[in-house]
Amino acid sequence: MSRKRVACVWMVVVLFASVLSSGNTGSVSRAAYKFNQSKKAVTQLENIFTTLDLMDATVDELSAEMKKGNVTSAQLVQMYIDRINTYDKKKKLNSIISINPNAISDAKKLDKERRVGKVRGPLHGIPVIVKDNYDLKGTATTAGSLSLLDLISQKDSFAVKKLKAAGAVIIAKANMSEFACRADESHSLVGGYAHNPYDITRSPAGSSGGTATAIASNFATIGFGTDTGGSIRNPSSWCNLYGIRPSKGLTSIDGVVPLAAYKDTTGPMARTAKDMAYGLETIAGTDAKDDYTQEANADQLLGKGYTKYLSTAGLKGKRIGYLTDSFSSSFSVSDTGETVEEIQLPDEKIEQMVKRTRADLKKAGATFVNLSDVMTNKFIGSLFPEETSYTMEYDLNKYFHDHGSTCPFKTVKELIERGSEGIDYENLDMTPVNGETFADSFETTENPYNVNVNGYMRNNAWEDMLNNRQRLNDVMKENNIDAIMFLQELSVPLHEMEYMVDGQENANSSGTYYAFILGPYVGCPDMVLPMGFSETDETCTKAMPLGMHFVGKFGDEKTLMQIAYAYQKQAGPDIRRIPDTSPALKDKNLNSYLEALMNEVYSIDYSKFKKKPTGKVKLMQVAYNKAAAVKKSDPSAVYTAAKNLARAYDSVMASKKKKKKK
């Protein structure tokens, strides 16, 4: 604190002391907050929604605050946008590609609905973020590529429609690896490198790393990503979040820039298990434009949703299978389905995280069953489809075709030929459907979905996938298993420069292969739970997060949500940390309240007291002096000072004599 500031504070303290002695009813500068003398000071403070209250706020907490009238959806949207504008670029997080220009007006409409008693559900007025491969009407869908900067969506994706119908406000679109092609990083020429909020020298993984960074940094309440080979789960693991790749067909991919449509999924990422459940039950359901949801009968799979089944007792009686090799080795699968062992021991610090997680699961009621003799690496390798056709060119051409004249490109071929315009294809690794040349139009693109499977046109891998899905479900049923637990990564997120060694991907940047097969190539749900934090290495003193995977039976997301919720309640708050890169912002309302309270304290007329409570007044003087010296840019310090002064003020005012009734 400067000398000038110290002198000013000293003068305020001396003046206040004289006021307490004389009972002067004068007032210092007028505050913007209108103090209500008929209500307790502490109550008034608690009714102010502050930037501190926004930190790690859940859907239920925000809904309750809006219901009480302490905050509006429009105010929440602005508070989150303020955080994005303050931290995202300045702290090199680079999690956001664009802010929805209609977010505030959308929120105001929802506030109007609430005022007349129309509340659509738990997500009414809740700000969310979607990955920038989701179509959002009136905004660009870039998929991280400069080539699509002019692709202004004329309609919403199915997931966005569902979110809007539920009352959610899409406030921004998140950065991602270009065309969602990388699982270890989220880099695009549109948004730059997204960085891990817990250490900006490290990656948040990909391709939904922008969404993960944004939600971990409190830029929205829930985020939505896509997962083809790990793009929801890896970022959730590396950014201390709950995330799920749903059963293939539970959620629609209509209106989402594809990578491989037969594996693509949409799903939520959140700071709590219940918010993850809210997100999933909101976007799940059968879509007339997505026949994967029709084949899966998504409405039936969803049933009555998930949040109503959540309980602290959700793990009692649950049998969780585990795969020993996932905690001690890594294996890859060749094109022929053969497994190649690559022994790779996990970091000792990671082992401690795993032990804590297992202990919490057990305390909450889970029983562990070793499935290693049943689900051998050979068995898991056999779940990899024997043959699979390349679909990306066809999927992208169809997406371009569906957007008609609004799309700047008609084909992948045209997009690549105009690559000299500054488009980066390093992540794309494009291969023609026929393996030789790219098609000149969508109509001439070879269709890889040419096999009739149960009345649906699928690629040549789909029937194998359905059979393997049944095989996995059978194993779980025969062994009475509710979920299968495995460790995907054997080390915390690496530094950016460690991902490539001599031009080759560093093997240490990935762990076991289970997540790549059990979700994408079998279609069963795969959920990540945060295990907490681990110290890293001598190059970085910051603790980093990591998650544990849980695979369930096809369509049994309800059980996974129950496991997640009960686990979170047992593990407690220590598994979640707010990143140092994005603390609570300065709060004008809180500062205004403190000023108003200090004015009120200064103005107390002790002549109206039956007896001046000298001891309480002295305690209030101490609280006042601390409040006068508090740093107004630190909302946590301001709140503490305000609450202490409010308590002291309420105690003094409780001694005030009552007027006699006539």
Side-chain angles (χ1 to χ4, degrees), residues 330-349:
S330 174
F331 75 95
S332 60
V333 182
S334 69
D335 292 339
T336 62
E338 297 177 353
T339 59
V340 180
E341 295 290 342
E342 297 174 354
I343 302 301
Q344 183 181 348
L345 297 177
D347 186 285
E348 186 177 316
K349 302 179 185 68

Side-chain angles (χ1 to χ4, degrees), residues 147 179 400 409 411-419 423 425:
S147 64
F179 288 103
F400 297 158
F409 295 96
T411 64
V412 167
K413 180 178 181 180
E414 182 183 354
L415 184 146
I416 291 178
E417 287 176 347
R418 291 169 58 184
I423 302 164
Y425 296 103

Side-chain angles (χ1 to χ4, degrees), residues 98-323:
S98 62
I99 293 176
N100 179 11
N102 301 314
I104 294 290
S105 60
D106 290 345
K108 288 181 177 179
K109 292 175 184 176
L110 291 163
D111 287 331
K112 185 176 180 179
E113 288 184 9
R114 184 181 291 276
R115 286 195 296 271
V116 297
K118 180 183 177 182
V119 177
R120 304 185 186 192
L123 292 193
H124 190 104
I126 299 296
V128 303
I129 284 174
V130 298
K131 188 176 179 178
D132 200 23
N133 56 354
Y134 284 63
D135 285 344
L136 173 63
K137 185 177 180 179
T139 65
T141 302
T142 73
S145 174
L146 290 176
S147 64
L148 301 182
L149 277 178
D150 295 327
L151 175 55
I152 307 301
S153 302
Q154 302 303 303
K155 60 181 181 178
D156 293 323
S157 63
F158 184 78
V160 167
K161 286 179 185 176
K162 296 272 282 184
L163 286 167
K164 286 184 175 180
V169 182
I170 291 82
I171 65 169
K173 303 188 77 179
N175 195 10
M176 56 185 285
S177 65
E178 187 180 20
F179 288 103
C181 286
R182 294 295 296 268
D184 55 5
E185 66 179 17
S186 292
H187 168 241
S188 70
L189 289 185
V190 179
Y193 276 98
H195 292 121
N196 195 303
Y198 294 99
D199 179 355
I200 62 170
T201 69
R202 298 174 187 252
S203 170
S207 63
S208 305
T211 304
T213 294
I215 299 306
S217 301
N218 281 285
F219 292 165
T221 314
I222 307 176
F224 293 86
T226 59
D227 192 306
T228 305
S231 294
I232 286 175
R233 295 161 293 160
N234 289 350
S236 296
S237 176
W238 289 9
C239 291
N240 194 221
L241 299 175
Y242 295 81
I244 185 167
R245 173 198 166 88
S247 299
K248 175 59 181 173
L250 177 64
T251 60
S252 171
I253 59 170
D254 177 61
V256 175
V257 181
L259 177 56
Y262 71 101
K263 294 190 295 180
D264 291 343
T265 58
T266 51
M269 305 160 77
R271 295 181 295 269
T272 68
K274 190 172 186 180
D275 284 356
M276 173 177 62
Y278 273 132
L280 183 58
E281 68 184 17
T282 299
I283 67 169
T286 304
D287 175 13
K289 294 183 178 180
D290 182 324
D291 62 12
Y292 292 101
T293 66
Q294 297 170 40
E295 180 181 13
N297 199 348
D299 284 344
Q300 183 177 335
L301 291 184
L302 172 62
K304 296 180 180 179
Y306 312 113
T307 51
K308 66 180 297 181
Y309 300 107
L310 302 182
S311 164
T312 55
L315 269 162
K316 292 188 182 300
K318 292 288 192 298
R319 287 169 56 85
I320 298 177
Y322 66 92
L323 305 175

Side-chain angles (χ1 to χ4, degrees), residues 412-660:
V412 167
K413 180 178 181 180
E414 182 183 354
L415 184 146
I416 291 178
E417 287 176 347
R418 291 169 58 184
S420 60
E421 296 180 358
I423 302 164
D424 180 8
Y425 296 103
E426 183 179 342
N427 289 346
L428 198 52
D429 191 25
M430 179 60 74
T431 301
V433 171
N434 62 15
E436 297 177 3
T437 58
F438 292 106
D440 293 317
S441 67
F442 170 65
E443 289 76 12
T444 60
T445 307
E446 184 175 334
N447 189 344
Y449 302 100
N450 53 16
V451 181
N452 190 316
V453 182
N454 300 325
Y456 295 94
M457 298 310 296
R458 297 288 183 252
N459 71 336
N460 55 1
W462 190 252
E463 194 162 17
D464 284 342
M465 291 174 66
L466 292 181
N467 292 334
N468 289 333
R469 179 186 302 172
Q470 189 60 49
R471 290 174 63 200
L472 183 61
N473 274 12
D474 289 344
V475 166
M476 296 180 70
K477 288 179 181 178
E478 290 166 4
N479 292 274
N480 192 21
I481 297 297
D482 295 289
I484 300 170
M485 178 178 77
F486 63 88
L487 185 65
Q488 171 67 8
E489 298 91 3
L490 302 177
S491 64
V492 295
L494 299 176
H495 289 281
E496 282 181 350
M497 297 305 294
E498 293 177 302
Y499 285 109
M500 301 299 290
V501 177
D502 296 329
Q504 300 295 319
E505 186 172 334
N506 184 355
N508 292 320
S509 66
S510 61
T512 60
Y513 219 65
Y514 303 110
F516 183 69
I517 295 177
L518 299 180
Y521 283 105
V522 179
C524 287
D526 184 356
M527 174 183 69
V528 168
L529 307 185
M531 293 192 293
F533 291 76
S534 169
E535 297 303 321
T536 53
D537 49 55
E538 64 276 2
T539 65
C540 179
T541 58
K542 296 180 180 179
M544 296 297 294
L546 201 63
M548 180 71 75
H549 287 246
F550 291 77
V551 167
K553 302 182 189 75
F554 178 78
D556 192 18
E557 275 77 2
K558 182 177 80 172
T559 294
L560 293 183
M561 296 297 154
Q562 290 175 322
I563 290 172
Y565 185 81
Y567 162 75
Q568 182 185 349
K569 294 301 180 182
Q570 177 63 49
D574 289 346
I575 58 173
R576 164 68 188 162
R577 297 182 190 176
I578 296 173
D580 294 338
T581 50
S582 52
L585 291 175
K586 176 181 177 180
D587 195 303
K588 293 180 181 179
N589 291 333
L590 191 55
N591 291 344
S592 178
Y593 167 82
L594 180 57
E595 184 182 350
L597 176 59
M598 293 174 69
N599 288 345
E600 191 63 26
V601 168
Y602 187 92
S603 305
I604 295 175
D605 185 354
Y606 293 101
S607 66
K608 295 182 178 181
F609 282 65
K610 185 175 182 180
K611 181 180 179 182
K612 184 177 179 180
T614 306
K616 293 180 178 180
V617 170
K618 287 183 178 179
L619 291 175
M620 185 170 65
Q621 178 180 347
V622 172
Y624 184 99
N625 293 346
K626 290 182 178 179
V630 76
K631 188 177 180 181
K632 293 294 182 69
S633 61
D634 183 348
S636 181
V638 173
Y639 184 84
T640 299
K643 192 159 191 176
N644 289 338
L645 183 56
R647 286 171 174 167
Y649 171 83
D650 288 341
S651 178
V652 169
M653 296 307 290
S655 303
K656 187 176 180 180
K657 69 179 181 180
K658 298 180 180 179
K659 291 184 178 180
K660 293 182 180 180

Side-chain angles (χ1 to χ4, degrees), residues 48-62:
I48 299 173
F49 187 85
T50 71
T51 55
L52 289 172
D53 294 317
L54 191 69
M55 303 302 288
D56 280 5
T58 65
V59 167
D60 287 344
E61 290 167 345
L62 294 179

